[in-house]
Amino acid sequence: AQKITQTQPGMFVQEKEAVTLDCTYDTSDQSYGLFWYKQPSSGEMIFLIYQGSYDEQNATEGRYSLNFQKARKSANLVISASQLGDSAMYFCAMEAGGTSYGKLTFGQGTILTVHP
Amino acid sequence: EAQVTQNPRYLITVTGKKLTVTCSQNMNHEYMSWYRQDPGLGLRQIYYSMNVEVTDKGDVPEGYKVSRKEKRNFPLILESPSPNQTSLYFCASSLFPGEMNTEAFFGQGTRLTVV
């Protein structure tokens, strides 16, 4: 079975500073993918970034980067130069192989608040 | 525009009154699923479908039914809703299950309250 753990229920950051949202995972599959989604107060799920288990380089998408440490089973999201619009709930998720293909296993989420 | 459309967005109903939440995608995706989101628990998969007429249980299927008669539609049915099914529901679709880096597209969500 797969498991995602986000240990930070809430995080605060000053505008223009960087912030790291933690995510650890557990799976026995060798092939898996890690995703981060943003959920603003309006409720929709917005895809941010993806990291494959065989990717040698950390994924980056604009101000988002994923700090992937495979041996530690962590996939932390780094948001650089925070903006007020980054205030939202952030979910880490994993898709593993085998019979779980297609299924996303989500963490509990972290609420990020960006202060002006 | 590629999208997953859920209806309704908000629904308040009474215990025991059957309801259906519709979900439709226009991307010809094979894989569709339903999730519920509850505080402190993240999103949990209710049911999924690998293709037309192929559905299976996710992690929390009790009290729900689904059907996949057409590729684009995947309705969620609550035959006899109960207050513990009050939640935020998401429909999602993706192209090829098993192809990693297959981004899941989510609907706008349906906030259901059962009183």
Side-chain angles (χ1 to χ4, degrees):
Chain A
Q2 289 75 41
K3 186 175 181 181
I4 294 281
T5 303
Q6 295 179 253
T7 58
Q8 306 155 317
M11 288 286 286
F12 295 88
V13 66
Q14 208 70 25
E15 194 178 9
K16 297 179 185 161
E17 292 185 350
V19 62
T20 298
L21 305 184
D22 294 341
C23 172
T24 58
Y25 61 91
D26 191 24
T27 181
S28 56
D29 290 298
Q30 297 301 309
S31 179
Y32 51 88
L34 295 155
F35 300 79
W36 277 92
Y37 282 86
K38 173 184 178 181
Q39 185 180 49
S41 57
S42 51
E44 71 267 31
M45 296 289 284
I46 302 168
F47 167 73
L48 295 178
I49 196 167
Y50 166 85
Q51 179 83 42
S53 58
Y54 294 117
D55 294 342
E56 295 187 351
Q57 297 204 355
N58 287 342
T60 60
E61 289 286 349
R63 294 186 299 110
Y64 304 108
S65 60
L66 201 152
N67 184 0
F68 181 47
Q69 298 188 45
K70 195 170 182 177
R72 298 181 59 187
K73 293 190 173 180
S74 74
N76 299 338
L77 177 71
V78 181
I79 305 174
S80 62
S82 297
Q83 302 172 355
L84 295 178
D86 294 334
S87 293
M89 173 80 86
Y90 288 80
F91 288 102
C92 179
M94 174 171 61
E95 178 190 357
T99 57
S100 298
Y101 275 147
K103 173 187 172 183
L104 289 172
T105 299
F106 285 85
Q108 307 91 319
T110 296
I111 299 174
L112 176 65
T113 304
V114 181
H115 289 302
Chain B
E1 180 190 353
Q3 60 185 6
V4 178
T5 304
Q6 282 179 239
N7 280 297
R9 292 288 311 279
Y10 302 92
L11 180 59
I12 301 175
T13 190
V14 296
T15 300
K17 185 176 181 182
K18 181 180 178 179
L19 66 91
T20 299
V21 184
T22 64
C23 173
S24 181
Q25 50 96 0
N26 63 1
M27 296 167 280
N28 203 35
H29 284 172
E30 295 182 351
Y31 188 93
M32 297 185 73
S33 57
W34 278 99
Y35 294 86
R36 61 176 289 173
Q37 180 182 347
D38 301 291
L41 297 177
L43 283 76
R44 295 175 292 167
Q45 192 182 56
I46 303 170
Y47 267 94
Y48 67 94
S49 169
M50 302 279 276
N51 213 323
V52 175
E53 302 292 1
V54 180
T55 64
D56 208 347
K57 298 177 181 178
D59 294 323
V60 288
E62 293 76 22
Y64 305 95
K65 285 175 57 177
V66 293
S67 68
R68 187 94 181 270
K69 293 183 169 54
E70 307 163 281
K71 198 170 188 178
R72 62 183 292 127
N73 296 324
F74 190 46
L76 179 69
I77 304 156
L78 284 72
E79 294 270 3
S80 183
S82 63
N84 64 12
Q85 292 178 297
T86 293
S87 187
L88 177 60
Y89 291 87
F90 286 99
C91 179
S93 74
S94 55
L95 185 57
F96 291 125
E99 290 283 337
M100 296 302 177
N101 195 20
T102 300
E103 174 192 343
F105 291 80
F106 284 82
Q108 294 288 85
T110 296
R111 190 166 294 279
L112 172 66
T113 302
V114 184
V115 298

mmCIF file of all heavy atoms in Angstrom, chain B residues 49-65:
data_model
loop_
_atom_site.group_PDB
_atom_site.id
_atom_site.type_symbol
_atom_site.label_atom_id
_atom_site.label_comp_id
_atom_site.label_asym_id
_atom_site.label_seq_id
_atom_site.Cartn_x
_atom_site.Cartn_y
_atom_site.Cartn_z
ATOM 1 N N SER B 49 -12.574 3.815 -12.862
ATOM 2 C CA SER B 49 -12.947 3.088 -14.075
ATOM 3 C C SER B 49 -11.781 3.140 -15.052
ATOM 4 O O SER B 49 -11.273 4.208 -15.368
ATOM 5 C CB SER B 49 -14.189 3.717 -14.710
ATOM 6 O OG SER B 49 -14.421 3.187 -15.997
ATOM 7 N N MET B 50 -11.365 1.965 -15.512
ATOM 8 C CA MET B 50 -10.257 1.891 -16.461
ATOM 9 C C MET B 50 -10.730 2.113 -17.898
ATOM 10 O O MET B 50 -9.937 2.458 -18.774
ATOM 11 C CB MET B 50 -9.561 0.540 -16.376
ATOM 12 C CG MET B 50 -9.028 0.215 -14.991
ATOM 13 S SD MET B 50 -7.457 1.005 -14.662
ATOM 14 C CE MET B 50 -6.346 -0.163 -15.430
ATOM 15 N N ASN B 51 -12.016 1.850 -18.140
ATOM 16 C CA ASN B 51 -12.570 2.050 -19.468
ATOM 17 C C ASN B 51 -14.069 1.810 -19.396
ATOM 18 O O ASN B 51 -14.627 1.495 -18.334
ATOM 19 C CB ASN B 51 -11.908 1.112 -20.482
ATOM 20 C CG ASN B 51 -11.796 1.746 -21.858
ATOM 21 O OD1 ASN B 51 -12.690 2.485 -22.287
ATOM 22 N ND2 ASN B 51 -10.717 1.462 -22.550
ATOM 23 N N VAL B 52 -14.735 1.886 -20.531
ATOM 24 C CA VAL B 52 -16.188 1.694 -20.569
ATOM 25 C C VAL B 52 -16.533 0.321 -20.009
ATOM 26 O O VAL B 52 -15.885 -0.677 -20.329
ATOM 27 C CB VAL B 52 -16.704 1.831 -22.012
ATOM 28 C CG1 VAL B 52 -18.189 1.510 -22.090
ATOM 29 C CG2 VAL B 52 -16.436 3.236 -22.542
ATOM 30 N N GLU B 53 -17.539 0.305 -19.144
ATOM 31 C CA GLU B 53 -18.055 -0.914 -18.517
ATOM 32 C C GLU B 53 -17.053 -1.586 -17.578
ATOM 33 O O GLU B 53 -17.296 -2.713 -17.140
ATOM 34 C CB GLU B 53 -18.528 -1.922 -19.584
ATOM 35 C CG GLU B 53 -19.600 -1.400 -20.532
ATOM 36 C CD GLU B 53 -20.943 -1.152 -19.839
ATOM 37 O OE1 GLU B 53 -21.072 -1.367 -18.620
ATOM 38 O OE2 GLU B 53 -21.872 -0.694 -20.527
ATOM 39 N N VAL B 54 -15.957 -0.921 -17.242
ATOM 40 C CA VAL B 54 -14.972 -1.471 -16.310
ATOM 41 C C VAL B 54 -14.840 -0.524 -15.135
ATOM 42 O O VAL B 54 -14.280 0.578 -15.265
ATOM 43 C CB VAL B 54 -13.595 -1.658 -16.985
ATOM 44 C CG1 VAL B 54 -12.603 -2.244 -15.980
ATOM 45 C CG2 VAL B 54 -13.697 -2.542 -18.206
ATOM 46 N N THR B 55 -15.392 -0.934 -13.991
ATOM 47 C CA THR B 55 -15.301 -0.104 -12.791
ATOM 48 C C THR B 55 -14.834 -0.963 -11.625
ATOM 49 O O THR B 55 -15.018 -2.187 -11.631
ATOM 50 C CB THR B 55 -16.654 0.536 -12.430
ATOM 51 O OG1 THR B 55 -17.594 -0.483 -12.107
ATOM 52 C CG2 THR B 55 -17.185 1.378 -13.580
ATOM 53 N N ASP B 56 -14.252 -0.317 -10.626
ATOM 54 C CA ASP B 56 -13.792 -1.061 -9.455
ATOM 55 C C ASP B 56 -13.741 -0.132 -8.254
ATOM 56 O O ASP B 56 -13.706 1.092 -8.387
ATOM 57 C CB ASP B 56 -12.427 -1.686 -9.704
ATOM 58 C CG ASP B 56 -12.208 -2.937 -8.882
ATOM 59 O OD1 ASP B 56 -13.010 -3.189 -7.929
ATOM 60 O OD2 ASP B 56 -11.247 -3.674 -9.156
ATOM 61 N N LYS B 57 -13.732 -0.758 -7.079
ATOM 62 C CA LYS B 57 -13.751 -0.009 -5.830
ATOM 63 C C LYS B 57 -12.394 0.615 -5.543
ATOM 64 O O LYS B 57 -11.348 0.024 -5.812
ATOM 65 C CB LYS B 57 -14.130 -0.944 -4.679
ATOM 66 C CG LYS B 57 -15.511 -1.554 -4.797
ATOM 67 C CD LYS B 57 -15.771 -2.531 -3.653
ATOM 68 C CE LYS B 57 -17.145 -3.155 -3.780
ATOM 69 N NZ LYS B 57 -17.405 -4.142 -2.704
ATOM 70 N N GLY B 58 -12.463 1.803 -4.957
ATOM 71 C CA GLY B 58 -11.264 2.431 -4.432
ATOM 72 C C GLY B 58 -11.137 2.138 -2.947
ATOM 73 O O GLY B 58 -11.489 1.050 -2.484
ATOM 74 N N ASP B 59 -10.709 3.119 -2.196
ATOM 75 C CA ASP B 59 -10.460 2.916 -0.776
ATOM 76 C C ASP B 59 -11.707 3.082 0.097
ATOM 77 O O ASP B 59 -11.793 2.494 1.172
ATOM 78 C CB ASP B 59 -9.391 3.898 -0.292
ATOM 79 C CG ASP B 59 -8.045 3.627 -0.929
ATOM 80 O OD1 ASP B 59 -7.729 2.438 -1.132
ATOM 81 O OD2 ASP B 59 -7.317 4.598 -1.219
ATOM 82 N N VAL B 60 -12.669 3.887 -0.344
ATOM 83 C CA VAL B 60 -13.851 4.173 0.474
ATOM 84 C C VAL B 60 -15.117 4.048 -0.347
ATOM 85 O O VAL B 60 -15.851 5.022 -0.541
ATOM 86 C CB VAL B 60 -13.752 5.569 1.143
ATOM 87 C CG1 VAL B 60 -12.720 5.560 2.244
ATOM 88 C CG2 VAL B 60 -13.418 6.646 0.120
ATOM 89 N N PRO B 61 -15.462 2.848 -0.834
ATOM 90 C CA PRO B 61 -16.597 2.708 -1.756
ATOM 91 C C PRO B 61 -17.972 2.564 -1.092
ATOM 92 O O PRO B 61 -18.993 2.679 -1.782
ATOM 93 C CB PRO B 61 -16.250 1.415 -2.493
ATOM 94 C CG PRO B 61 -15.520 0.606 -1.462
ATOM 95 C CD PRO B 61 -14.730 1.605 -0.642
ATOM 96 N N GLU B 62 -18.010 2.330 0.227
ATOM 97 C CA GLU B 62 -19.285 2.020 0.869
ATOM 98 C C GLU B 62 -20.264 3.179 0.738
ATOM 99 O O GLU B 62 -19.952 4.322 1.069
ATOM 100 C CB GLU B 62 -19.079 1.686 2.350
ATOM 101 C CG GLU B 62 -18.308 0.410 2.616
ATOM 102 C CD GLU B 62 -16.816 0.559 2.380
ATOM 103 O OE1 GLU B 62 -16.322 1.722 2.412
ATOM 104 O OE2 GLU B 62 -16.143 -0.448 2.162
ATOM 105 N N GLY B 63 -21.454 2.866 0.276
ATOM 106 C CA GLY B 63 -22.513 3.863 0.151
ATOM 107 C C GLY B 63 -22.554 4.545 -1.199
ATOM 108 O O GLY B 63 -23.389 5.429 -1.410
ATOM 109 N N TYR B 64 -21.698 4.144 -2.102
ATOM 110 C CA TYR B 64 -21.622 4.774 -3.426
ATOM 111 C C TYR B 64 -21.754 3.733 -4.530
ATOM 112 O O TYR B 64 -21.429 2.567 -4.346
ATOM 113 C CB TYR B 64 -20.282 5.496 -3.607
ATOM 114 C CG TYR B 64 -19.964 6.512 -2.552
ATOM 115 C CD1 TYR B 64 -19.172 6.167 -1.451
ATOM 116 C CD2 TYR B 64 -20.434 7.817 -2.645
ATOM 117 C CE1 TYR B 64 -18.872 7.096 -0.472
ATOM 118 C CE2 TYR B 64 -20.134 8.755 -1.665
ATOM 119 C CZ TYR B 64 -19.348 8.390 -0.584
ATOM 120 O OH TYR B 64 -19.050 9.306 0.383
ATOM 121 N N LYS B 65 -22.239 4.192 -5.673
ATOM 122 C CA LYS B 65 -22.257 3.396 -6.894
ATOM 123 C C LYS B 65 -21.772 4.271 -8.034
ATOM 124 O O LYS B 65 -21.884 5.500 -7.979
ATOM 125 C CB LYS B 65 -23.673 2.906 -7.203
ATOM 126 C CG LYS B 65 -24.170 1.773 -6.331
ATOM 127 C CD LYS B 65 -25.625 1.435 -6.641
ATOM 128 C CE LYS B 65 -25.852 1.082 -8.094
ATOM 129 N NZ LYS B 65 -27.247 0.680 -8.363
#
